[in-house]
């Protein structure tokens, strides 16, 4: 059974029942807190790290805002811990000040936009960088920055390889879009499922490693490596056939970005 | 039948009663004034609560909350929920519920985004940024909203399926359809003129009226308020009905007009953000004065849209047969049917209206975000229903006002925005909003029992 | 008091009845609520419709008011066959009903209730002032002390609510009125008021079907009395030809007076 859980804790009883009945369970992209499930995802801690690295490279000091995802989704915290690996020291030394940090119900971009507006208001626009955990919310953040004439001046992160976000990377309003090729995720999950049919022990699936969950469980997992897309490697998504040139380059002025011509 | 049945007063505990007696005797002179003003005491209470919330946040936030900028933001942030809440009032008044508004909003927003970003420019080959794109998109969105809302209403009214079930189904169906045809992708960017509907900024174009049109709007509204007051007074005079005291008339007029002009003043006190202003000055060849450039933003378009919707729905609810029938059905469905009212058709129309308002809100939300996303409007139904209920709409039917719902939406958004300003995280926000919802309705029930 | 002498049963009517119900049948599921009832009503006449609980009198009246169209049977108004499919049809024919429940929208004020479904509009908007003015006139006739024209009828007394329901029925120039238990919820003073009103309406030539449990009310106000028993019409009698005991016999035993035995009559009286 391949499950994409909206809430990794709430689904536990159902998953436990499936496993008791001998049905192997794959937690697809979202964690399920059951030690017998096989967790296949892009390494979300790494995603958070890559997001923060790109923003940190653009802006190493100053006031940071952090727009996190849904509080019930473990990924929101994984991403946050990855970010901390990059900016943690600078925060401790005082070089970076976190002026706003908030969860966003349902990863809702509209709520992210409202939250960003309020953070900007509270700080009289003195926000130097925004770590947004995904592309949708980055869209909301950038809409709030645009209203203050700050879009493109404040680095913003995101992930998912959303086409609109890749277009924003080309336009220069979003700094990085950590791309997790969903096709790779699907392929890996499919292959793992085939192996589980022969042997239901998840730890015997090729390429697994032990994974410590926030709930204190240890389960087998396959963590895939994501690809951070910035203005410099937009070619990757074009070459992979993930996005058309028309979509990627819509509204981009000629000569600004090499792949758009 | 709930709060309005006098017999239920006995259920109330003795301490609450003596406490209320003390309050009501202390307020006796005030209630006398209120009576001669002939204004809704509940409305007055809500305005009082709002003032308390605003002043408290302003103190705690060190003066940030009551800045023009924050109030301007607040007005825009409230608009989308407020627009839908006006329709939800009528739905709930007629003893129904619409749980599908958030999903409808998502579906309609997505369709409108596809229409302007894919179908018109690419499928029809007409290209981006056509002057007619925004209005065509909006009209088609509203028509589609009325159609799908009307379809739900048809099933409720003619199929006899409870609205809770029909719209619960709608909540799943419309959201499912988005995922079906969006495949997780965001539709963006949108038409730049369409984006103005959301109050956002594109280059130096801002989705707001600007200084003088805002003042004009304020003055026109004031004149309209005074005209309505005078003509209704004249009419009552002509029929020799009692009219309210002239001082009360003047006071109500002055306060209402003052409020309208106050809103305009606040909106005009919010200048274009520095970066936008500088760019604007460059484009228009304006020299930047030493103290910096102050270009008033004016009333945001989402707020203008909200005002128009409020006027239209209030008109439908209070001045048209349709509204009278909605309230009659809510008060006593059998009596409405025996009076010869077409109950089914009326109920279907309330749902169609709700659908078209979901489309208007969808336009505002997508325009504001400059994108349509798959989780657009998720859980908005809860905010919309809460706004209507905090604003005094009763689930027992027949009771509720459109301006009350608008205030309800503003109260809720004030709480949320204020808490974000204070860096209160979303779980705590939910707790506070939940408590306020129950407290508002509970207090109202107690007060109503006293009145009856 | 009686201006026009109503037709006697069995005598060929010289005039056309306002309303005539012929062979009306109504069934709910398998239950026959009304089975083949024929009734008529002449101008300026009160016909009492009596019977025990579940006798079918309210159901019969609902076929005439349009609330529940009959399964079969014919309705004539002024001698013309008509179809009454809904309350609107009945009102258009000048047949108004005052329901036992009053059928008021409690959250609306008196003018809104009086004009419910027949609002006065000008320039496509409700003309509340005109409706209030008319309501003040018509209710003023019924109850001069009535003052609360702007409060929801929920907050009015039983008598005031009754006045609103009656005002709604008489304001639109009704030719026939159906009154279902009009005094059931009223005190003595208010009951007397309603009685006076019924006599006044009668004198204006309006025909009234008076549905009531109270045999004394019916004897007091009606010219003729129609008795129903288990969905069927036991008979229609002239008030002056029968005693209350005989009518009670019709109600309780379902037999016309001619078929009542002395013993049965004695028991009824006892």
């Amino acid at each position: 059974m391949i499950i994409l859980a909206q809430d990794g804790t709430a689904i536990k009883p159902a998953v436990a029942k499936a496993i008791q009945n001998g049905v192997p369970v794959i937690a697809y992209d979202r964690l399920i807190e059951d030690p017998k499930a096989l967790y296949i995802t892009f390494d979300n801690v790494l995603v958070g790290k890559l997001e923060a690295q790109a923003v940190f490279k653009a802006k190493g000091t100053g006031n940071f805002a952090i727009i996190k995802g849904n509080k019930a989704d473990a990924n929101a915290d994984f991403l946050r811990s990855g970010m901390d690996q990059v900016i943690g020291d600078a925060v401790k030394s005082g070089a970076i000040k976190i002026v706003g940090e908030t969860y966003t119900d349902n990863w809702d971009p509209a709520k992210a936009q409202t939250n960003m507006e309020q953070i900007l208001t509270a700080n009289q626009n003195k926000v130097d960088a925004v770590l947004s955990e995904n592309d949708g919310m980055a869209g909301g953040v950038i809409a709030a920055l645009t209203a203050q004439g700050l879009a493109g001046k404040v680095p913003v992160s995101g992930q998912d390889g959303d086409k609109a976000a890749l277009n924003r990377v080309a336009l220069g309003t979003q700094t990085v879009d950590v791309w997790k090729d969903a096709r790779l995720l699907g392929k890996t999950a499919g292959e793992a499922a085939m192996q589980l049919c022969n042997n239901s022990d998840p730890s015997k699936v090729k390429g697994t490693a032990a994974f410590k969950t926030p709930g204190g469980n240890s389960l087998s997992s396959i963590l895939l490596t994501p690809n951070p897309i910035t203005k410099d490697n937009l070619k990757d998504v074009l070459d992979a056939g993930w996005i058309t040139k028309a979509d990627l380059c819509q509204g981009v002025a000629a000569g600004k970005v090499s792949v758009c011509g | 039948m709930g709060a309005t049945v006098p017999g239920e007063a006995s259920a109330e505990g003795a301490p609450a009663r003596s406490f209320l007696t003390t309050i009501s005797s202390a307020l006796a002179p005030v209630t006398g004034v209120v009576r001669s003003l002939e204004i809704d005491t509940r409305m007055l209470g809500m305005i009082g609560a709002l003032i308390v919330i605003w002043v408290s946040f302003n103190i705690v936030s060190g003066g940030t909350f009551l800045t023009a900028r924050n109030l301007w933001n607040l007005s825009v942030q409230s608009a989308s929920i407020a627009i839908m809440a006006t329709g939800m009032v009528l739905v709930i008044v007629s003893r129904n519920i619409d749980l599908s508004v958030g999903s409808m909003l998502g579906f309609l927003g997505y369709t409108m985004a596809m229409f302007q970003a894919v179908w018109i420019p690419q499928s029809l080959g007409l290209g981006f940024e056509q002057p007619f794109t925004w209005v065509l998109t909006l009209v088609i969105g509203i028509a589609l909203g009325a159609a799908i809302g009307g379809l739900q209403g048809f099933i409720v009214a003619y199929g006899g399926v409870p609205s809770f079930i029909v719209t619960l189904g709608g909540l799943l169906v419309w959201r499912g359809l988005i995922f079906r045809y969006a495949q997780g992708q965001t539709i963006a960017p949108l038409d730049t003129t369409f984006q103005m509907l959301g109050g956002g900024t594109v280059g130096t174009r801002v989705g707001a009226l600007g200084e003088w049109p805002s003042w004009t709007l304020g003055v026109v509204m004031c004149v309209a308020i005074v005209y309505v007051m005078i003509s209704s007074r004249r009419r009552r005079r002509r029929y020799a009905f009692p009219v309210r005291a002239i001082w009360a008339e003047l006071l109500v007029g002055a306060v209402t007009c003052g409020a309208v002009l106050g809103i305009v003043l606040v909106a005009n006190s919010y200048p274009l953000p520095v970066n936008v202003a500088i760019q604007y000055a460059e484009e228009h060849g304006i020299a930047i004065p030493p103290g910096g450039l102050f270009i008033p933003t004016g009333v945001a378009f989402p707020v203008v849209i909200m005002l128009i919707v409020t006027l239209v729905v209030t008109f439908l609810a209070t001045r048209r047969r349709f509204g009278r029938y909605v309230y009659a059905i809510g008060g006593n469905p059998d009596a409405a049917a025996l009076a010869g009212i077409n109950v089914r058709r009326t109920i279907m129309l309330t749902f169609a209206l709700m659908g078209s308002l979901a489309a208007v809100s969808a336009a505002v939300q997508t325009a504001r975000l400059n994108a349509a996303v798959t989780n657009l409007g998720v859980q908005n139904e809860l905010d919309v229903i809460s706004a209507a209920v905090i604003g005094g709409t009763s689930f027992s039917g027949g009771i509720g006002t459109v301006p009350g719902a608008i205030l309800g939406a503003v109260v809720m958004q004030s709480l949320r925005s204020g808490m974000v300003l204070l860096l209160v995280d979303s779980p705590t926000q939910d707790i506070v909003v939940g408590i306020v919802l129950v407290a508002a309705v509970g207090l109202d029930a107690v007060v109503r029992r006293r009145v009856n | 008091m009686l201006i026009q002498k109503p037709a006697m049963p069995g005598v060929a009517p010289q005039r056309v009845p306002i309303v005539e119900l012929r062979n009306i049948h109504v069934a709910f599921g398998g239950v026959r609520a009304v089975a083949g009832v024929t009734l008529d009503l002449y101008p300026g006449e009160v016909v009492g419709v009596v019977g025990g609980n579940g006798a079918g009198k309210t159901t019969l009246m609902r076929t005439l008011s349009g609330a529940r169209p009959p399964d079969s049977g014919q309705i004539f108004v002024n001698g013309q066959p008509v179809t009454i499919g809904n309350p609107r049809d009945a009102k258009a024919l000048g047949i108004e009903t005052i329901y036992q429940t009053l059928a008021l929208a409690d959250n609306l004020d008196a003018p809104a209730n009086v004009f419910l479904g027949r609002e006065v509009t000008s320039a496509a908007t409700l003309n509340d002032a005109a409706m209030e003015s008319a309501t003040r006139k018509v209710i003023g006739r019924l109850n001069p002390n009535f003052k609360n024209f702007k409060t929801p009828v929920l907050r009015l007394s039983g008598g005031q609510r009754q006045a609103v329901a009656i005002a709604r029925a008489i304001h639109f120039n009704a030719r026939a009125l159906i009154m279902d238990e009009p005094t059931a919820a009223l005190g003595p003073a208010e009951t007397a008021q309603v009685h006076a009103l019924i006599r006044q309406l009668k004198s204006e030539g309006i025909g009234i079907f008076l549905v009531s449990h109270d045999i004394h009310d019916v004897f007091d106000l009606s010219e003729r009395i129609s008795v129903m028993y288990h969905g069927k019409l036991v008979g229609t009698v002239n008030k002056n030809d029968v005693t209350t005991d005989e009518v009670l016999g019709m109600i309780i035993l379902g037999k016309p007076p001619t078929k009542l035995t002395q013993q049965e009559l004695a028991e009824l009286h006892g």
Side-chain angles (χ1 to χ4, degrees), chain A residues 183-258:
Chain A
R183 294 169 298 187
L184 182 59
L185 189 64
K187 188 162 159 268
T188 312
E191 286 167 3
M194 293 308 290
Q195 292 179 54
L196 284 171
C197 289
N198 299 325
N199 182 347
S200 68
D201 182 357
S203 66
K204 296 286 186 297
V205 174
K206 215 171 66 192
T208 57
F211 181 84
K212 257 292 189 238
T213 73
N217 291 313
S218 174
L219 47 77
S220 304
S221 70
I222 302 175
L223 299 180
L224 306 167
T225 308
N227 181 7
I229 304 295
T230 64
K231 214 172 213 172
D232 305 323
N233 61 346
L234 282 169
K235 207 167 163 302
D236 292 4
V237 283
L238 269 186
D239 292 347
W242 178 249
I243 188 171
T244 64
K245 195 171 164 183
D247 284 343
L248 180 64
C249 300
Q250 192 190 331
V252 177
K256 284 258 188 183
V257 181
S258 59

Side-chain angles (χ1 to χ4, degrees), chain C residues 129-182:
Chain C
M131 289 191 269
E132 185 179 333
S133 168
T135 303
R136 280 172 185 269
K137 272 183 208 134
V138 63
I139 293 188
R141 260 175 69 192
L142 304 171
N143 179 353
N145 298 322
F146 195 105
K147 292 279 184 296
N148 307 314
F149 290 94
K150 284 293 196 186
T151 40
V153 296
L154 173 75
R155 303 221 192 108
L156 304 182
S157 71
Q160 289 176 321
R161 289 162 57 81
Q162 187 86 33
V164 175
I166 295 174
R168 169 161 69 189
I170 64 176
H171 177 66
F172 296 92
N173 300 319
R175 285 183 293 175
L177 266 184
I178 302 165
M179 297 177 126
D180 195 351
E181 304 285 358

Side-chain angles (χ1 to χ4, degrees), chain C residues 63-81:
Chain C
T63 64
L64 185 57
S65 63
R68 170 62 166 91
D71 297 329
S72 66
Q74 287 172 295
I75 299 174
F76 294 82
V77 172
N78 290 335
Q80 301 297 314

